[in-house]
Amino acid sequence: MAELLCAQLCAYAWAETIWIQPVMSTEQVGHDPIRDHGHHHRDGDDGGRGHSHRLSIDADRRYLTVALVLIVGFMAFEVVAGIIAHSLALLSDAGHMLTDAGALVLSLVVIRLVQRPAGESLTYGMRRAEVLSGQANGAVLLVLGVLVTYEGISRLVSPPDVAGGLVTIVAALGVVVNLVAAWVLAKANRESLNVEGSFQHIVTDLYAFIGTLVAGIVILVTGFDRADAIASLVVAGLMFRSGYSLQRKAVRVLLESAPEKIAPNEVGWAMAHTESVSQVHDLHLWELAPGVPILTAHVLVAPAADCHAIRRELERMVRQRFGIEHTTLQVDHAPPQLLSIARQRQTHSQ
């Protein structure tokens, strides 16, 4: 009976010893990755944050509205010019500009949704609406890329007559209009997938006009009508690239992946190296929306430590060091380590 009791005490003590071992300890691995890798993080000052956020949203709304007016006005002109010139490049650009206008309108709607306060059924509000907006814009770009690719290949096989002079003039104007629209949107908060989706539409359209301008010049100089279809295929490739990028970013947020610029392992190490912290586990780091990281973790501290003071220190540290504003930390005292008791076997000589 005594041997059985000793064995049970040893097993319990071993389990408790593992429980209080720090999950992340520089003594175990011989180096601190926080010191080994330098990072730049924004300041965590809360003063005036809500007011600055409102100002940013109002500015984004103005930038999106200016870009929408520019795009819609030029789109109508381009449709007429594309029909007269029999240019697929111009008509595909006009179709893309229609999606640009739709993306800008969607972004303006989403900005209003995001500003709605959180409620009983939507405890985070509608911040994820901007992620869905970015995903929708990415899907539209991918579909447009498929359609333009199909038509471009068809025109490579049977090229129509293209009015190179009109194509060149319209494309040159399009470059100017999209440069202005892209410059306006570049000043908005592009960390938001909602704004970034609209910006990618405009930039892809700018590249399309540059390609169309080159095609128009080639047709004027050489009479090579297939240059128009080739330009359309280049535009389709850019659509695929932008659409994939938006989809990837949106899916990362929807799958609650860790932010690309914040490594959960480094956050855990920084927390584990805080004074009086014994263990950090069940650490989860994800984004509500791009630029809005959320952290949860269970922290064990020394038996005599002040749980509330350490929690406040950890919140301050991750805010200033990693830019994580929203944290939920469960801080408890670590259980005392039990002493292992075991019988030492003795060998008896015969």
Side-chain angles (χ1 to χ4, degrees):
M1 178 66 70
E3 290 181 355
L4 178 61
L5 179 59
C6 286
Q8 290 176 340
L9 283 173
C10 289
Y12 182 73
W14 176 248
E16 290 298 313
T17 301
I18 292 177
W19 171 254
I20 67 167
Q21 279 290 331
V23 170
M24 298 175 182
S25 169
T26 54
E27 289 78 5
Q28 290 180 333
V29 296
H31 72 280
D32 183 351
I34 302 301
R35 295 192 187 96
D36 292 350
H37 304 286
H39 296 270
H40 174 71
H41 308 286
R42 67 178 182 270
D43 294 334
D45 186 8
D46 288 321
R49 185 171 299 278
H51 180 62
S52 298
H53 181 63
R54 286 192 299 272
L55 289 176
S56 176
I57 289 178
D58 291 340
D60 289 348
R61 184 185 292 111
R62 288 195 303 271
Y63 297 142
L64 288 166
T65 302
V66 171
L68 177 62
V69 171
L70 289 170
I71 294 301
V72 170
F74 190 76
M75 178 188 67
F77 169 73
E78 190 176 23
V79 169
V80 175
I83 293 173
I84 295 173
H86 302 288
S87 170
L88 172 63
L90 286 180
L91 291 176
S92 63
D93 287 343
H96 188 202
M97 293 192 80
L98 178 60
T99 65
D100 293 346
L104 291 166
V105 170
L106 179 61
S107 295
L108 289 168
V109 172
V110 167
I111 282 179
R112 294 185 63 86
L113 293 177
V114 168
Q115 287 183 293
R116 291 185 178 181
E120 183 177 350
S121 60
L122 295 170
T123 56
Y124 279 121
M126 300 192 72
R127 291 302 302 271
R128 281 272 167 93
E130 68 176 77
V131 180
L132 297 177
S133 171
Q135 189 176 41
N137 283 325
V140 169
L141 284 172
L142 292 175
V143 172
L144 280 175
V146 172
L147 296 176
V148 173
T149 298
Y150 174 79
E151 189 63 24
I153 293 174
S154 298
R155 293 207 172 195
L156 272 177
V157 176
S158 301
D161 293 331
V162 178
L166 183 57
V167 169
T168 303
I169 294 172
V170 174
L173 292 174
V175 169
V176 174
V177 170
N178 279 271
L179 269 176
V180 174
W183 174 73
V184 170
L185 278 186
K187 296 188 291 184
N189 176 26
R190 289 180 52 201
E191 193 172 44
S192 165
L193 273 183
N194 182 41
V195 175
E196 179 65 12
S198 295
F199 180 78
Q200 287 299 329
H201 271 277
I202 301 299
V203 170
T204 304
D205 212 36
L206 173 61
Y207 292 152
F209 275 113
I210 294 174
T212 305
L213 176 61
V214 173
I217 294 173
V218 170
I219 293 171
L220 280 177
V221 174
T222 67
F224 182 61
D225 290 335
R226 284 186 172 86
D228 182 72
I230 294 172
S232 298
L233 292 175
V234 173
V235 172
L238 295 171
M239 289 179 178
F240 286 132
R241 188 189 67 173
S242 298
Y244 169 77
S245 176
L246 287 171
Q247 288 291 329
R248 186 183 66 83
K249 292 178 181 178
V251 168
R252 280 186 59 86
V253 175
L254 294 176
L255 291 180
E256 298 187 344
S257 301
E260 291 187 277
K261 297 181 180 179
I262 306 177
N265 185 53
E266 294 186 358
V267 176
W269 274 106
M271 294 174 66
H273 281 76
T274 301
E275 185 177 358
S276 298
V277 172
S278 300
Q279 184 186 87
V280 176
H281 62 162
D282 290 341
L283 187 151
H284 300 282
L285 179 61
W286 72 98
E287 287 182 300
L288 177 61
V292 187
I294 297 177
L295 170 70
T296 64
H298 187 196
V299 181
L300 296 182
V301 299
D306 185 342
C307 290
H308 297 294
I310 293 176
R311 176 182 55 80
R312 289 191 294 268
E313 172 60 21
L314 289 172
E315 290 173 347
R316 182 198 63 79
M317 184 272 294
V318 298
R319 182 174 63 248
Q320 293 184 351
R321 195 166 185 174
F322 299 98
I324 303 174
E325 299 288 341
H326 191 127
T327 56
T328 302
L329 303 178
Q330 178 183 344
V331 182
D332 297 314
H333 288 119
Q337 183 176 1
L338 297 180
L339 178 65
S340 298
I341 303 175
R343 173 182 291 181
Q344 182 177 3
R345 292 185 179 181
Q346 297 180 354
T347 58
H348 299 279
S349 59
Q350 295 293 336

